[in-house]
Amino acid sequence: LVAGPIVRAGEFFEDYFTWRKPDVDEILRGVLWMLLGLTKKMALADQFALIADEYFAHMGAHPGALGAWSGVFAFAMQIFFDFSGYTDMAIGMALLLGFHFPVNFRRPYLAFSITDFWHRWHISLSRWLRDYLYIPLGGSRGRLTATVRNLFITMFLGGLWHGAAWTFVVWGLYHGFLLATHAVWRTISSVRLPQIAAVALTFFAVHLGWVL
C-alpha cells in the first residue's frame, strides 16, 4: 500500500467481489513478473548499490566529476531497479492470487519532459497526487500563477509523503520547481526541443534530484 503499486479501493474490490481462480495465462504472467522483478533487484539494483554506497560513504576518497557522476548514476540505477523490481514482484504475486495490480513504471528514464517523467515513475502515486491533491487544489484551471502554486503544494506534500526529513521536502520542492518551469515554458513558448535533447535534459534534471 505504501511503496506501490498503490491500489485503489475500486480496483481491489472489483477483483475481490468478482474473484475467480487465475487461469494458466495469468499464472505464467505472474511468474514472469516475479522473475523480472527478482532479476532487477538482485542482478542490477544490488550491484549498482555497491558503487553508490561506496561513493556516498567515502566521497573524499573519490574526488572529481567522474567519481561524482558515477556515484549519482549508480544510485539512479539502483533506486529504479530496486523500486520497479519490487513492484514487478508485487504485481506478479498478486496475479498468482487472482488480483490485478496496475503497472507502476513505464521506462521513466526515457521521459521527454519532467511532466512525462511523473507519468512514468511510480505511476500509482502520481495518479493519487493528481486526483487527491492537484485537481482539488484547482489543477491547471485558472491562471498560470495558480497552476504554479498548485504544483509546488502538491510536490511539497509528495516529498513529505516519502519521509519526514528536510531532504525529502527539498526534493519535493525541487520537482515542484521543475514541473512549474515546464508548465510556464509550455505556456509562453512554442519552442520544442528535439526529442533526444529533451530526454537527455530530463534525465540530467532527475539525476540531480536524486542527490538530495
Side-chain angles (χ1 to χ4, degrees):
L1 286 175
V2 176
I6 300 172
V7 184
R8 297 190 180 189
E11 296 166 333
F12 178 79
F13 285 116
E14 182 179 357
D15 278 338
Y16 182 80
F17 288 115
T18 61
W19 189 88
R20 60 174 177 76
K21 185 178 179 180
D23 58 29
V24 174
D25 179 64
E26 288 171 325
I27 292 172
L28 287 174
R29 285 193 291 122
V31 171
L32 286 174
W33 273 107
M34 290 177 64
L35 289 174
L36 175 63
L38 198 61
T39 300
K40 285 182 177 179
K41 168 62 179 167
M42 298 185 68
L44 296 169
D46 288 355
Q47 307 313 310
F48 279 114
L50 297 175
I51 302 169
D53 291 347
E54 167 62 23
Y55 176 76
F56 286 107
H58 308 98
M59 287 188 287
H62 308 286
L66 181 61
W69 280 110
S70 296
V72 171
F73 178 80
F75 179 72
M77 295 301 108
Q78 174 197 345
I79 196 172
F80 168 68
F81 287 118
D82 192 277
F83 200 177
S84 67
Y86 158 75
T87 56
D88 288 350
M89 286 188 276
I91 291 168
M93 284 185 275
L95 266 177
L96 294 180
L97 297 172
F99 292 88
H100 303 82
F101 285 5
V103 173
N104 213 31
F105 290 86
R106 287 197 178 94
R107 299 180 296 279
Y109 289 154
L110 296 180
F112 55 83
S113 72
I114 195 64
T115 303
D116 186 40
F117 173 80
W118 280 105
H119 290 158
R120 297 165 175 258
W121 177 275
H122 202 346
I123 298 167
S124 58
L125 173 64
S126 299
R127 191 176 55 156
W128 195 95
L129 292 172
R130 180 196 67 196
D131 293 349
Y132 292 103
L133 287 174
Y134 182 64
I135 291 177
L137 284 168
S140 57
R141 302 186 301 273
R143 303 177 67 176
L144 181 59
T145 52
T147 298
V148 169
R149 178 202 64 201
N150 297 337
L151 287 169
F152 268 102
I153 293 173
T154 299
M155 295 312 296
F156 163 75
L157 294 172
L160 198 59
W161 179 89
H162 281 79
W166 283 112
T167 50
F168 290 113
V169 170
V170 175
W171 174 79
L173 290 173
Y174 171 74
H175 274 273
F177 170 76
L178 294 178
L179 288 166
T181 301
H182 186 234
V184 171
W185 177 263
R186 286 187 300 176
T187 302
I188 66 174
S189 176
S190 60
V191 176
R192 295 292 181 267
L193 293 176
Q195 186 157 338
I196 190 170
V199 169
L201 182 61
T202 304
F203 188 77
F204 174 76
V206 168
H207 276 50
L208 284 183
W210 291 143
V211 176
L212 297 168

